[in-house]
Every structure is written in structure tokens, then in C-alpha cells.
């Protein structure tokens, strides 16, 4: 038999390896920015087109490269930053693996201009899929410009795998936020589709955070500072009121490198115990400085994971420091031994008015009449699962009972079965179909707010808002937008009783739900989000009219079985199911 094991050609192995470093446009931006920082730049300009799918360009005023270095920078494992393996463990630069430019240039079209001196003494190189196709002298001033065009043009499977512009831009923004927050000594500008989104001059960390996230974050920043033998902590945690439903405000930096760490997230979150509503995540900008010999950055090519020598001690240091700074600002509950423990109210109930316990007696209730008698004498063949809406509605009008259990489910009967409906999911479905209808027919009804609501949008929120503006209009929102101040004047009637500010924040903050590759349109995203936010919640007591209304509306829906997120809305128990239980 002939031999079959062969060594892959370099272009193929490079493309495969590139997948680890370059997952999406935002990973390219991260690597280019890190290179500019390592080159001692003081000004960096970022230019993005079509969420980075067509262009990611980074221009810096850093050290620049010689012609020879420009050539070698695209070769795998070519780096100016380390000489031996020992250097990896005391690394202070952002890069060291020498694989980013090689990876990027093997899966895109790259144009690089660079110069080490001020006087128009630059050089230009163009590379397509890893091969130099053009080079010449250029009049580029000191620094480097790298244009990365048409990412994954030669790996169609990967290009198709890219998410919608909405999602990719979110990732790009996230990378930019991380780098800009941790390098407040550098001036940045960020241009997206020819519009300047950020111009950040050199400024203090606090000012940098405010410039990026908007004025409204200022009053929520609580400084954290702790020096210990193991690590020095610095930065800000955000007051519990500023907690979000996503983790988008969680920033951790170790020796100024942005990292992801579940155990650090956990350590901080547990300091917030009892201060946050369920489903909300605290926000923080935590800078940990420690001896580089005590950490290992070389865990994964994207360098966002770190191994710590002593993670248990670090866990407790962070946990107690965050508690301490929340305590100083008198946010965490103060221990009071005099206080009667039984008077403690959980955070979720703190803002609710006490309810007077009620006893409801239904004088009509006859436990033997839940099923109408007919159903007991029906033939087995009739006792099939009944999902037929008309069957249920008709039956409601006759003698079936509808009642609520556990403040969560509505129980109803059809001629042949018992139906248990999840009230929250049912209402989501009803609202979802209603919202979609209003969007497509532009037929929504608006309710004017007594007091218009003003919301300061952050820059990224503004970009996203502009994308969904048509849907927003057709849903029945009436608003004014001047610069980044959004004033909501009227809202769709279905949303009347909701916290609109929270809702908008939620819509413009969600990075996961909207995904074109799953055939979702903005309308669908919007309708889903709104119906989720405004549906009747689990735990809400409903009166009998509301229960009946919900059941009837559900079964008039086009698709009463599944919630907008494809969860089962109700279950049916027929006679057999019940008998089998005995
Ligand atoms: P690494 O950053 O791990 O060294 P890269 O592939 O990202 O590897 O870059 C390769 C080399 O190219 C760097 O070591 C550096 O010498 C040079 N280089 C890349 N970008 C720049 C830049 N913007 N300014 C100056 N030199 C750069
Ligand atoms: Mg690099």
C-alpha cells in the first residue's frame, strides 16, 4: 500500500493555524492595536468598514519598521519581542508569539506602509493570502499603517461563518474598549464607515472610561485600590444600580493586558451578593498588577487566558477588596447585631409595597366538575391530544374551568384533556406575534408618556440604534434624537407599564440574540426582545379575566405551541396520561 502521510504545504498549514489567532475581524483589530502599542505609539487611528469585513486599518505614530523587518514581520514566528523562552515568562510587551501578522496575511489582503523616521522615507508592501504581490517606496511618515482587507477572502467557509454586521461590530467595539481603557496614555480615534465614533485624547483613567461609556457612568464609579504582596489592584467597580443583564461592563486587566477569567468574575460577583437583582451582573474595570513570573500568558494564541501561580489567594484578595470598597461607599449591607433577622427583606422585594394577604373563595367551584361529564364517556379514539385552538376556546365558553397554579401556570381543559400553560411563555408568544404584525403593517398603536423619558445613548448604542430605527418607528415608538440624547415621547401600548429606560438599554446592549446567520432580521430580533421584556412574569397573580384572556389569545396565535425562543408553551394531559399515574 502506498504511503499516505504527507506534510501539508505551508500555505495550507498557515491557514489552519490562522484560525486560532484570527477568528473574526475583531481579532485582527486586537492584534494590530497590540502591535501599535508595543511600538511605543502615542497616537493610534482605527478605520473600520462594514464591521471589519471589508476593511480594518490601524495607523500609528510608533517606532516603524525597516524594509527588512517589514518583510520578515509576515513570516511565522518572526518577532522582535523575545529572544529566548525565558523571555516569555517575564514578558512586558503585548505580543511575543510572532504569529499574528503571518496569520492575518494568510487569510486576507494586507497593505502595510511603515517608516522609522519622520521625513517621508517610507516603504510599502502588499500581500495577498501570504504572498508579496507589490512593494515600493512610499512617502509615509514615521509610524506604521496596516490595512487588512476582505478578511477570509480565500477561506469562504470562514467568511460565511462571520455573523451579522451588528454582532461583528459589537466584537470590534469590545476590543477597542478594552484597549482604549487600558491605554489612556495614548490618543485614539475610531472611524466606522466614514463616521468618527470616538476621538479620545490622552486623559486619566476615570475620564477615559467616561469618554467611552458616556457621562452617565460617572456617578456610578467607585474607586478600588489595594496593594498586597501578591498583587496590586486598581480601577473602578460600578455601583449595583448600574448592573446589567449582560457581562458587557466587566473588564479585567492583568499587567495591562485584557484577559478573561471566570474565577475573577466569580470572586467579584460574590462580593456583590445580596446587592443585585437576579439575572444582573456587576460592572467593573479591574487592573491587577503582579510579578510577571507568577503568571503564564502563553496558554492560548489569543493571549486572553492567564494561569496564575496562586489563584486562591488572588481570589480572596479581590473578593475582600471589592467588598471593602463597596463598604466604604456604604453600599453593602452593614452588619447590625441588634437587628431582628426576621425583618430582613430580600433585595428583589425591597421596592415592592407589602401585599395584604388575600383569600379567594370561588363559591362556584366544584372539584368534581373540572372535566365536563361528556369527556368521561368519550371513546378512547376521541381522547387524542387536542391542540386545536377552536376546541379549547369553544370549551372555555361552555363549562371548562381556567385557574392559575403556583402563580406560574394557567390550567385549562379541553373536551379531552387538561392543558397546563406557562403564563410567561404564552404571553411572550402573544406579544411577539402582535409586535411582528405591527412592524410589517406599520399599524401599531402608541401611548403617549406622561413624562417623556430622556436616555443618553453611548456611542456604540447610538450606532446600533441607527440600525434598527425603521423597526423602532414602525413599532409605535415616537421619539426625538438629538446628538446622543434620545427622548422617548410615546411607546407601543403593549409596553405602557414597563421601565422603558431599562428596556432600551437591554435592546441596545444585547450581543447574543441578534444573529443574521440564523436568519433573524432586525424586526424579528426587536419583536423577540420586546416580547421577552414586557411579557407577564412568572410569579404574577392573574385574575380570572386575565387568565381567560391569555388562554384565548394564545390559541388565536399562528403558532401557539412554541415561545419565540422555541420553548414549549404548554403541555396536555389526556385521560390515559392521568390514568397511568394511578
Ligand atoms: P508579535 O507581536 O508577537 O511579535 P506579530 O506577527 O504581531 O508578532 O508582529 C511581528 C513583528 O512585526 C513584531 O514583532 C514587530 O517587530 C513588527 N511590527 C508589527 N506591527 C508593528 C507596528 N505597528 N509597528 C512596528 N513594528 C511592528
Ligand atoms: Mg503582535
Amino acid at each position: 500500500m502506498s504511503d499516505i502521510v504527507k506534510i501539508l504545504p505551508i500555505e495550507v498549514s498557515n491557514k489552519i493555524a490562522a484560525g486560532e489567532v484570527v477568528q473574526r475581524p475583531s481579532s485582527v483589530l486586537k492584534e494590530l492595536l497590540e502591535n501599535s502599542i508595543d511600538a511605543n505609539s502615542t497616537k493610534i487611528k482605527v478605520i473600520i468598514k462594514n464591521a471589519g469585513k471589508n476593511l480594518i486599518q490601524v495607523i500609528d505614530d510608533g517606532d516603524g519598521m525597516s524594509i527588512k523587518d517589514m518583510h520578515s514581520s509576515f513570516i511565522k514566528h518572526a518577532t522582535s519581542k523575545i529572544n529566548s523562552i525565558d523571555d516569555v515568562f517575564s514578558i512586558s510587551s503585548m505580543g511575543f508569539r510572532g504569529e499574528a501578522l503571518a496569520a492575518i496575511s494568510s487569510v486576507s489582503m494586507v497593505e502595510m506602509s511603515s517608516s522609522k523616521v519622520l521625513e517621508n522615507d517610507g516603504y510599502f508592501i502588499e500581500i495577498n493570502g501570504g504572498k508579496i504581490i507589490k512593494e515600493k517606496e512610499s512617502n509615509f511618515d514615521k509610524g506604521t499603517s496596516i490595512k487588512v482587507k476582505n478578511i477570509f477572502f480565500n477561506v469562504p467557509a470562514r467568511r460565511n461563518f462571520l455573523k451579522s454586521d451588528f454582532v461583528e461590530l459589537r466584537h470590534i467595539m469590545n476590543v477597542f474598549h478594552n484597549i482604549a481603557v487600558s491605554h489612556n496614555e495614548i490618543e485614539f480615534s475610531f472611524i466606522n464607515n466614514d463616521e468618527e465614533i470616538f476621538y479620545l485624547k490622552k486623559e486619566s483613567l476615570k475620564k477615559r472610561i467616561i469618554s467611552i461609556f458616556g457621562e452617565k457612568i460617572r456617578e456610578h464609579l467607585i474607586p478600588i485600590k489595594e496593594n498586597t504582596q501578591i498583587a496590586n489592584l486598581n480601577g473602578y467597580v460600578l455601583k449595583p444600580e448600574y448592573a446589567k443583564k449582560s457581562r458587557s461592563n466587566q473588564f479585567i486587566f492583568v499587567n495591562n493586558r485584557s484577559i478573561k477569567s471566570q474565577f475573577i468574575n466569580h470572586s467579584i460577583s460574590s462580593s456583590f451578593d445580596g446587592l443585585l437583582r437576579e439575572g444582573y451582573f456587576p460592572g467593573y474595570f479591574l487592573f491587577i498588577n503582579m510579578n510577571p513570573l507568577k503568571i503564564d500568558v502563553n496558554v492560548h494564541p489569543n493571549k486572553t487566558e492567564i494561569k496564575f501561580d496562586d489563584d486562591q489567594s488572588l481570589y480572596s484578595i479581590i473578593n475582600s477588596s471589592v467588598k471593602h470598597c463597596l463598604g466604604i461607599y456604604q453600599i453593602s449591607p452593614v452588619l447590625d447585631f441588634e437587628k431582628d433577622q426576621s425583618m430582613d427583606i430580600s433585595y428583589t422585594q425591597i421596592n415592592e409595597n407589602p401585599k395584604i394577604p388575600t383569600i379567594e373563595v370561588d363559591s362556584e367551584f366544584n372539584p368534581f366538575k373540572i372535566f365536563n361529564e361528556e369527556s368521561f364517556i368519550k371513546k378512547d379514539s376521541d381522547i387524542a391530544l387536542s391542540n386545536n385552538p377552536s376546541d379549547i376556546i369553544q370549551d372555555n365558553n361552555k363549562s371548562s374551568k381556567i385557574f392559575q397554579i403556583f402563580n406560574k401556570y394557567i390550567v385549562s381543559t379541553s373536551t379531552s384533556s387538561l392543558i397546563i400553560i406557562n403564563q410567561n411563555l404564552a404571553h411572550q408568544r402573544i406579544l411577539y406575534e402582535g409586535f411582528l404584525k405591527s412592524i410589517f403593517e406599520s399599524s401599531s398603536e402608541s401611548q403617549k408618556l406622561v413624562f417623556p423619558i430622556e436616555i443618553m445613548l453611548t456611542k456604540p448604542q447610538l450606532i446600533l440604534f441607527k440600525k434598527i430605527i425603521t423597526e423602532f418607528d414602525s413599532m409605535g415608538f415616537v421619539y426625538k434624537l438629538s446628538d446622543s440624547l434620545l427622548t422617548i415621547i410615546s411607546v407601543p401600548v403593549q409596553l405602557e407599564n414597563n421601565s422603558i429606560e431599562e428596556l432600551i438599554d437591554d435592546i441596545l446592549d444585547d450581543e447574543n440574540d441578534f444573529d443574521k446567520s440564523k436568519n433573524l432580521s432586525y424586526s424579528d430580533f426587536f419583536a423577540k426582545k420586546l416580547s421577552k421584556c414586557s411579557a407577564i412574569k412568572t410569579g404574577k397573580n392573574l385574575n380570572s379575566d386575565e387568565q381567560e384572556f391569555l388562554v384565548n389569545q394564545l390559541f388565536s396565535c399562528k403558532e401557539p405551541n412554541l415561545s419565540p425562543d422555541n420553548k414549549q408553551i404548554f403541555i396536555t394531559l389526556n385521560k390515559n396520561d392521568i390514568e397511568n399515574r394511578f
Side-chain angles (χ1 to χ4, degrees):
M1 220 162 99
S2 63
D3 300 332
I4 50 169
V5 176
K6 55 182 178 293
I7 293 174
L8 289 173
I10 189 82
E11 311 91 77
V12 180
S13 67
N14 272 355
K15 273 193 204 167
I16 293 172
E20 292 207 290
V21 185
V22 187
Q23 282 129 4
R24 51 183 1 132
S26 66
S27 10
V28 171
L29 180 66
K30 173 177 177 288
E31 295 297 335
L32 297 184
L33 285 172
E34 289 188 352
N35 283 345
S36 297
I37 291 165
D38 286 344
N40 304 308
S41 308
T42 61
K43 286 186 188 151
I44 300 179
K45 184 172 182 178
V46 177
I47 301 174
I48 300 293
K49 293 241 162 88
N50 296 73
K53 290 174 188 171
N54 291 11
L55 176 72
I56 305 151
Q57 183 176 13
V58 172
I59 307 167
D60 67 47
D61 67 346
D63 298 337
M65 278 177 267
S66 65
I67 299 177
K68 193 157 174 269
D69 283 350
M70 285 172 81
H71 281 114
S72 26
S73 64
F74 291 98
I75 298 168
K76 203 168 174 197
H77 306 306
T79 178
S80 55
K81 298 169 193 173
I82 57 168
N83 292 311
S84 73
I85 186 67
D86 293 341
D87 295 346
V88 174
F89 295 99
S90 56
I91 195 80
S92 62
S93 57
M94 309 289 281
F96 55 84
R97 298 173 59 107
E99 49 189 15
L101 288 186
I104 293 168
S105 63
S106 72
V107 293
S108 61
M109 301 170 174
V110 177
E111 292 176 25
M112 176 196 268
S113 304
S114 191
S115 165
K116 289 179 81 70
V117 284
L118 261 179
E119 308 258 302
N120 287 340
D121 195 21
Y123 199 70
F124 169 91
I125 293 188
E126 192 174 340
I127 296 173
N128 258 13
K131 294 203 175 69
I132 297 182
I133 56 162
K134 197 173 183 183
E135 54 186 309
K136 57 177 186 182
E137 306 216 316
S138 85
N139 49 8
F140 193 79
D141 264 353
K142 183 175 179 288
T144 304
S145 155
I146 302 187
K147 272 188 187 178
V148 176
K149 297 190 295 186
N150 303 326
I151 183 169
F152 300 134
F153 79 100
N154 54 355
V155 201
R158 288 219 135 225
R159 181 136 185 128
N160 293 338
F161 195 67
L162 291 179
K163 300 279 168 69
S164 66
D165 284 7
F166 185 92
V167 172
E168 294 301 342
L169 191 64
R170 269 253 108 123
H171 286 285
I172 285 191
M173 287 287 195
N174 196 20
V175 161
F176 182 75
H177 289 166
N178 268 293
I179 299 266
V181 164
S182 51
H183 291 92
N184 51 313
E185 76 288 359
I186 298 177
E187 180 181 309
F188 284 97
S189 60
F190 184 104
I191 294 159
N192 177 48
N193 290 341
D194 299 321
E195 188 188 347
E196 184 171 87
I197 306 294
F198 288 108
Y199 170 69
L200 306 169
K201 54 184 196 316
K202 181 177 166 183
E203 55 199 342
S204 69
L205 171 63
K206 183 170 181 178
K207 284 210 175 119
R208 179 57 59 95
I209 293 174
I210 295 167
S211 308
I212 297 175
F213 297 93
E215 197 44 51
K216 108 179 149 189
I217 207 170
R218 182 193 295 272
E219 58 184 292
H220 296 287
L221 294 169
I222 310 170
I224 177 167
K225 191 162 182 57
E226 196 76 56
N227 292 341
T228 70
Q229 290 203 322
I230 292 178
N232 294 342
L233 308 183
N234 249 306
Y236 294 90
V237 295
L238 294 169
K239 288 185 185 166
E241 305 94 90
Y242 207 77
K244 298 240 173 218
K245 282 190 188 158
S246 71
R247 294 185 177 271
S248 58
N249 276 340
Q250 303 190 335
F251 295 84
I252 308 168
F253 306 93
V254 174
N255 296 350
N256 239 19
R257 178 192 302 281
S258 159
I259 61 138
K260 300 205 175 0
S261 161
Q262 283 200 11
F263 93 87
I264 296 179
N265 286 339
H266 188 272
S267 154
I268 304 178
S269 299
S270 64
S271 313
F272 275 82
D273 262 359
L275 296 171
L276 299 177
R277 276 179 286 170
E278 214 185 302
Y280 280 71
F281 298 100
Y284 38 84
F285 302 88
L286 180 66
F287 290 79
I288 305 167
N289 280 306
M290 56 196 302
N291 184 346
L293 296 172
K294 301 276 181 202
I295 55 179
D296 184 0
V297 191
N298 196 20
V299 181
H300 187 272
N302 68 18
K303 300 164 286 174
T304 55
E305 269 172 65
I306 283 196
K307 269 217 295 271
F308 296 92
D309 269 7
D310 184 1
D311 42 13
Q312 283 186 4
S313 306
L314 192 62
Y315 185 99
S316 351
I317 291 169
I318 294 174
N319 186 270
S320 61
S321 309
V322 174
K323 271 190 189 143
H324 181 69
C325 85
L326 291 174
I328 289 180
Y329 283 81
Q330 298 189 337
I331 289 156
S332 56
V334 183
L335 275 185
D336 180 355
F337 296 105
E338 306 286 317
K339 209 170 86 182
D340 181 355
Q341 295 287 315
S342 63
M343 295 301 284
D344 270 351
I345 304 171
S346 83
Y347 187 82
T348 42
Q349 292 167 346
I350 244 160
N351 295 327
E352 285 179 13
N353 291 328
K355 284 195 200 104
I356 299 166
T358 53
I359 300 172
E360 280 171 28
V361 181
D362 181 353
S363 52
E364 305 276 287
F365 182 69
N366 172 356
F368 302 103
K369 270 195 94 180
I370 288 180
F371 294 91
N372 62 32
E373 282 120 33
E374 257 177 71
S375 63
F376 287 100
I377 47 167
K378 276 205 164 164
K379 289 199 301 288
D380 256 16
S381 57
D382 292 336
I383 309 176
L385 278 184
S386 171
N387 288 351
N388 181 353
S390 56
D391 184 9
I392 292 154
I393 295 161
Q394 267 174 21
D395 208 57
N396 289 338
N397 296 337
K398 287 194 267 156
S399 55
S400 79
K401 278 261 167 209
I402 297 182
F403 56 94
Q404 188 187 27
I405 52 171
F406 313 134
N407 282 346
K408 182 171 184 184
Y409 302 104
I410 311 292
V411 184
S412 174
T413 57
S414 76
T415 41
S416 55
S417 50
L418 188 68
I419 300 158
I420 304 173
I421 303 166
N422 179 315
Q423 65 188 42
N424 171 257
L425 297 180
H427 199 212
Q428 280 188 32
R429 163 56 63 186
I430 297 165
L431 291 173
Y432 172 67
E433 292 198 3
F435 282 130
L436 276 183
K437 192 160 175 261
S438 339
I439 294 176
F440 291 120
E441 296 174 3
S442 292
S443 61
S444 48
E445 276 180 63
S446 301
Q447 172 72 43
K448 197 160 186 208
L449 296 169
V450 185
F451 302 105
I453 298 170
E454 292 192 337
I455 305 171
M456 249 338 222
L457 299 182
T458 62
K459 297 266 168 61
Q461 284 179 327
L462 191 63
I463 299 178
L464 300 183
F465 181 71
K466 286 182 178 164
K467 282 185 189 290
I468 52 174
I469 220 155
T470 339
E471 285 79 9
F472 204 68
D473 283 338
S474 48
M475 304 237 34
F477 282 99
V478 180
Y479 61 90
K480 273 202 309 249
L481 182 66
S482 66
D483 290 332
S484 47
L485 183 70
L486 176 69
T487 311
I488 310 262
I489 300 159
S490 304
V491 297
V493 273
Q494 300 94 318
L495 298 180
E496 224 181 327
N497 299 321
N498 281 269
S499 155
I500 303 297
E501 193 167 3
E502 222 175 86
L503 196 80
I504 302 281
D505 226 39
D506 205 29
I507 286 170
L508 299 178
D509 207 71
D510 198 303
E511 42 188 295
N512 304 319
D513 279 3
F514 181 69
D515 182 352
K516 258 217 174 105
S517 61
K518 289 188 202 145
N519 290 327
L520 291 181
S521 61
Y522 288 123
S523 325
D524 200 61
F525 162 73
F526 215 139
K528 259 191 186 155
K529 200 79 219 167
L530 289 184
S531 51
K532 256 183 141 165
C533 294
S534 48
I536 293 168
K537 300 276 177 301
T538 295
K540 184 161 177 6
N541 186 263
L542 302 176
N543 66 33
S544 54
D545 286 344
E546 290 169 327
Q547 295 168 22
E548 196 172 325
F549 182 77
L550 199 76
V551 175
N552 289 338
Q553 290 277 309
L554 174 67
F555 290 105
S556 333
C557 281
K558 284 190 186 139
E559 225 179 288
N561 298 320
L562 293 177
S563 76
D565 285 333
N566 285 333
K567 290 190 193 131
Q568 192 174 351
I569 296 178
F570 61 88
I571 52 166
T572 43
L573 290 177
N574 61 26
K575 191 180 166 205
N576 277 347
D577 295 331
I578 295 168
E579 279 180 349
N580 286 340
R581 304 280 303 180
F582 288 98

